[in-house]
mmCIF file of all heavy atoms in Angstrom:
data_model
loop_
_atom_site.group_PDB
_atom_site.id
_atom_site.type_symbol
_atom_site.label_atom_id
_atom_site.label_comp_id
_atom_site.label_asym_id
_atom_site.label_seq_id
_atom_site.Cartn_x
_atom_site.Cartn_y
_atom_site.Cartn_z
ATOM 1 N N THR A 153 110.732 29.793 112.963
ATOM 2 C CA THR A 153 109.937 29.717 114.166
ATOM 3 C C THR A 153 110.628 30.723 115.214
ATOM 4 O O THR A 153 111.682 30.600 115.597
ATOM 5 C CB THR A 153 109.769 28.405 114.795
ATOM 6 O OG1 THR A 153 109.253 27.509 113.791
ATOM 7 C CG2 THR A 153 108.947 28.445 116.006
ATOM 8 N N LEU A 154 109.957 31.771 115.562
ATOM 9 C CA LEU A 154 110.255 32.698 116.431
ATOM 10 C C LEU A 154 109.712 32.409 117.889
ATOM 11 O O LEU A 154 108.455 32.121 118.015
ATOM 12 C CB LEU A 154 109.853 34.169 116.144
ATOM 13 C CG LEU A 154 110.172 34.689 114.699
ATOM 14 C CD1 LEU A 154 109.739 36.057 114.543
ATOM 15 C CD2 LEU A 154 111.755 34.487 114.463
ATOM 16 N N ILE A 155 110.681 32.278 119.041
ATOM 17 C CA ILE A 155 110.157 31.822 120.242
ATOM 18 C C ILE A 155 110.579 32.752 121.217
ATOM 19 O O ILE A 155 111.736 33.169 121.425
ATOM 20 C CB ILE A 155 110.783 30.450 120.600
ATOM 21 C CG1 ILE A 155 110.452 29.327 119.378
ATOM 22 C CG2 ILE A 155 110.138 29.949 121.966
ATOM 23 C CD1 ILE A 155 111.274 28.071 119.601
ATOM 24 N N ASN A 156 109.610 33.309 122.075
ATOM 25 C CA ASN A 156 109.925 34.157 123.154
ATOM 26 C C ASN A 156 110.311 33.360 124.448
ATOM 27 O O ASN A 156 109.417 32.862 125.105
ATOM 28 C CB ASN A 156 108.788 35.097 123.493
ATOM 29 C CG ASN A 156 109.124 36.186 124.513
ATOM 30 O OD1 ASN A 156 110.204 36.103 125.166
ATOM 31 N ND2 ASN A 156 108.110 37.073 124.842
ATOM 32 N N ARG A 157 111.605 33.367 124.745
ATOM 33 C CA ARG A 157 111.952 32.594 125.930
ATOM 34 C C ARG A 157 112.205 33.508 127.088
ATOM 35 O O ARG A 157 112.718 33.019 128.134
ATOM 36 C CB ARG A 157 113.265 31.876 125.669
ATOM 37 C CG ARG A 157 113.262 30.855 124.420
ATOM 38 C CD ARG A 157 114.386 30.054 124.437
ATOM 39 N NE ARG A 157 114.425 29.073 123.383
ATOM 40 C CZ ARG A 157 113.726 27.973 123.195
ATOM 41 N NH1 ARG A 157 112.887 27.655 124.122
ATOM 42 N NH2 ARG A 157 113.783 27.207 122.046
ATOM 43 N N GLY A 158 111.755 34.664 127.042
ATOM 44 C CA GLY A 158 111.965 35.748 127.993
ATOM 45 C C GLY A 158 110.698 35.816 129.067
ATOM 46 O O GLY A 158 109.679 35.002 128.792
ATOM 47 N N ARG A 159 110.625 36.764 129.904
ATOM 48 C CA ARG A 159 109.693 37.028 130.804
ATOM 49 C C ARG A 159 108.734 38.258 130.400
ATOM 50 O O ARG A 159 107.892 38.651 131.090
ATOM 51 C CB ARG A 159 110.153 37.204 132.161
ATOM 52 C CG ARG A 159 110.734 35.963 132.790
ATOM 53 C CD ARG A 159 111.336 36.108 134.186
ATOM 54 N NE ARG A 159 112.015 34.785 134.600
ATOM 55 C CZ ARG A 159 112.583 34.763 135.881
ATOM 56 N NH1 ARG A 159 112.526 35.841 136.734
ATOM 57 N NH2 ARG A 159 113.155 33.563 136.274
ATOM 58 N N GLN A 160 109.197 38.957 129.355
ATOM 59 C CA GLN A 160 108.367 40.094 128.902
ATOM 60 C C GLN A 160 107.915 39.801 127.414
ATOM 61 O O GLN A 160 108.518 39.119 126.752
ATOM 62 C CB GLN A 160 109.217 41.305 128.961
ATOM 63 C CG GLN A 160 109.773 41.760 130.273
ATOM 64 C CD GLN A 160 110.561 43.160 130.198
ATOM 65 O OE1 GLN A 160 109.857 44.150 130.026
ATOM 66 N NE2 GLN A 160 111.810 43.045 130.230
ATOM 67 N N PRO A 161 106.708 40.503 127.092
ATOM 68 C CA PRO A 161 106.271 40.409 125.732
ATOM 69 C C PRO A 161 107.424 41.013 124.815
ATOM 70 O O PRO A 161 108.143 41.909 125.118
ATOM 71 C CB PRO A 161 105.050 41.283 125.615
ATOM 72 C CG PRO A 161 104.621 41.366 127.140
ATOM 73 C CD PRO A 161 105.878 41.377 127.952
ATOM 74 N N VAL A 162 107.478 40.473 123.574
ATOM 75 C CA VAL A 162 108.395 40.936 122.551
ATOM 76 C C VAL A 162 107.603 41.360 121.336
ATOM 77 O O VAL A 162 106.866 40.451 120.752
ATOM 78 C CB VAL A 162 109.601 39.906 122.184
ATOM 79 C CG1 VAL A 162 110.370 40.457 121.097
ATOM 80 C CG2 VAL A 162 110.375 39.593 123.328
ATOM 81 N N GLN A 163 107.742 42.566 120.929
ATOM 82 C CA GLN A 163 106.919 43.104 119.893
ATOM 83 C C GLN A 163 107.822 42.951 118.538
ATOM 84 O O GLN A 163 108.989 43.465 118.616
ATOM 85 C CB GLN A 163 106.649 44.492 119.903
ATOM 86 C CG GLN A 163 105.848 45.140 118.695
ATOM 87 C CD GLN A 163 105.619 46.572 118.778
ATOM 88 O OE1 GLN A 163 106.088 47.194 119.777
ATOM 89 N NE2 GLN A 163 105.047 47.191 117.682
#
Side-chain angles (χ1 to χ4, degrees):
T153 302
L154 309 182
I155 309 167
N156 183 358
R157 300 198 185 281
R159 298 180 178 180
Q160 297 186 74
V162 175
Q163 179 188 0

